[in-house]
Amino acid sequence: TLARGGSYLEPTFIRAIEVPRDGTWTPERVPQQTLRDDVVFVLTSMMTSVVQEGTGTGAKALKRPVAGKTGTSAEHRDAWFAGFTPEHVAVAWVGFDTPKKLGKSETGGRAALPIWLAAMKAATGEAPVRGFVPPASVQVRTIDKRTGLLAPTEVVQPDGTMAAPKPEEVMEEYFMPGTEPVDVAEPAALPAGDALLDLYGDGDEKLPSDQPPAAEPTDPMPAPEQAPVAPDAPAPQRKGTLPSVTDEPD
C-alpha cells in the first residue's frame, strides 16, 4: 500500500489463465485509496533517508530512488530489509526455521539487504529511472538540521560575517499541510563547540560584527568606613538575685 501511494490492491498469485478456445481470463482487482497520499509521501520521504544516510545505505547501489527499512530482531535471530522503488517492492528475510542466532554482525543491512539488492537489480534492469513524485498538497521547506526549525537565510560565520547556511547544515523536508514549522532558527552567533562550555561560558565568546564591544568594568565605589561598635555593657545585677550564667565573675 505504501509503495502504491496509499492505494490498496488485493494481492494475487494468478495474473491470467489461458483457456483453449475460450480466451484468457484475468482476475479483476479494483484499487482502493486507503491512506492519504500526502501522509504516504511524507512517510516515503522518511524511508528514503534510511537509504541515504541510515542503516540501509547499501541500497544506494541500485542507482535509483529507494525507500526502505532494515530490521534486526532481538539476539540477531532475524534480519530483513523491506524496500521499494516507484515501480517495484520487495522484502528479503534471513533466519532459521527453528529460531536461533544468526551471528552478532548479521543485521538487516548486512545479511538481508544484499539479497534484496540482487533481486531488485534483476527486476529493474535497464528501465528508466523514476523518482517519487510528491502530491500537490505536500509542503516543502528548507530546514536547519541543528534545530529542526526553518533555516535562516543568513547565519553568522566564525569570522563575524553573514552568509547563507552551508549545504551540510540544511535539508529539504516535506510536510503535510499545517504541520510545517513556522519559527525560524536563530542564526548561530558562535561557532560550534563544547556544549557545556557554551552553556556556562568559557571566556572566549565573540560578538557579531554589528554589535559594539561591552564596556570595560569599572571599580565599584568603596563602602564608607564604619566606626567600631563598643560592646554592650553588662546589665546591673539586682540585689537578691542569682547571677546569670553569662555574667563574668568579678
Side-chain angles (χ1 to χ4, degrees):
T1 302
L2 294 179
R4 291 180 51 85
S7 173
Y8 172 77
L9 188 64
E10 184 179 1
T12 179
F13 290 101
I14 301 174
R15 292 186 176 181
I17 298 177
E18 296 181 0
V19 181
R21 296 184 298 277
D22 287 340
T24 301
W25 174 87
T26 57
E28 295 183 2
R29 298 183 297 165
V30 179
Q32 299 177 357
Q33 192 72 24
T34 56
L35 293 173
R36 285 171 40 187
D37 55 357
D38 55 352
V39 174
V40 173
F41 183 82
V42 170
L43 179 57
T44 300
S45 176
M46 294 178 182
M47 296 175 70
T48 59
S49 298
V50 175
V51 175
Q52 293 301 315
E53 53 189 358
T55 55
T57 53
K60 290 195 290 186
L62 192 61
K63 302 186 185 308
R64 60 183 64 230
V66 174
K69 183 67 180 73
T70 61
T72 308
S73 65
E75 298 183 343
H76 295 80
R77 297 177 183 272
D78 303 271
W80 62 87
F81 180 77
F84 58 90
T85 69
E87 299 88 7
H88 301 88
V89 59
V91 179
W93 170 82
V94 177
F96 293 98
D97 292 337
T98 302
K100 63 180 180 179
K101 297 180 181 180
L102 297 171
K104 184 176 181 180
S105 300
E106 299 305 317
T107 61
R110 175 185 174 90
L113 197 152
I115 302 172
W116 179 93
L117 181 61
M120 290 296 280
K121 282 184 176 180
T124 56
E126 300 296 329
V129 176
R130 291 175 50 200
F132 296 105
V133 180
S137 59
V138 169
Q139 309 290 324
V140 59
R141 296 289 186 270
T142 303
I143 301 299
D144 174 54
K145 290 183 177 181
R146 181 174 57 90
T147 62
L149 302 176
L150 295 175
T153 56
E154 289 185 327
V155 295
V156 180
Q157 303 301 310
D159 60 359
T161 61
M162 301 294 292
K166 298 179 181 178
E168 61 269 19
E169 296 175 347
V170 298
M171 62 181 178
E172 298 295 320
E173 196 60 87
Y174 296 95
F175 298 91
M176 293 179 292
T179 64
E180 65 274 13
V182 295
D183 295 327
V184 179
E186 293 293 334
L190 299 176
D194 188 288
L196 290 179
L197 293 180
D198 291 343
L199 178 62
Y200 295 105
D202 59 358
D204 294 331
E205 292 86 350
K206 297 179 181 179
L207 291 170
S209 57
D210 60 347
Q211 296 187 15
E216 293 292 334
T218 58
D219 295 333
M221 181 179 295
E225 297 183 0
Q226 297 182 355
V229 180
D232 296 335
Q237 181 178 340
R238 292 180 298 172
K239 293 182 180 182
T241 60
L242 295 176
S244 171
V245 295
T246 60
D247 293 341
E248 294 290 337
D250 295 336

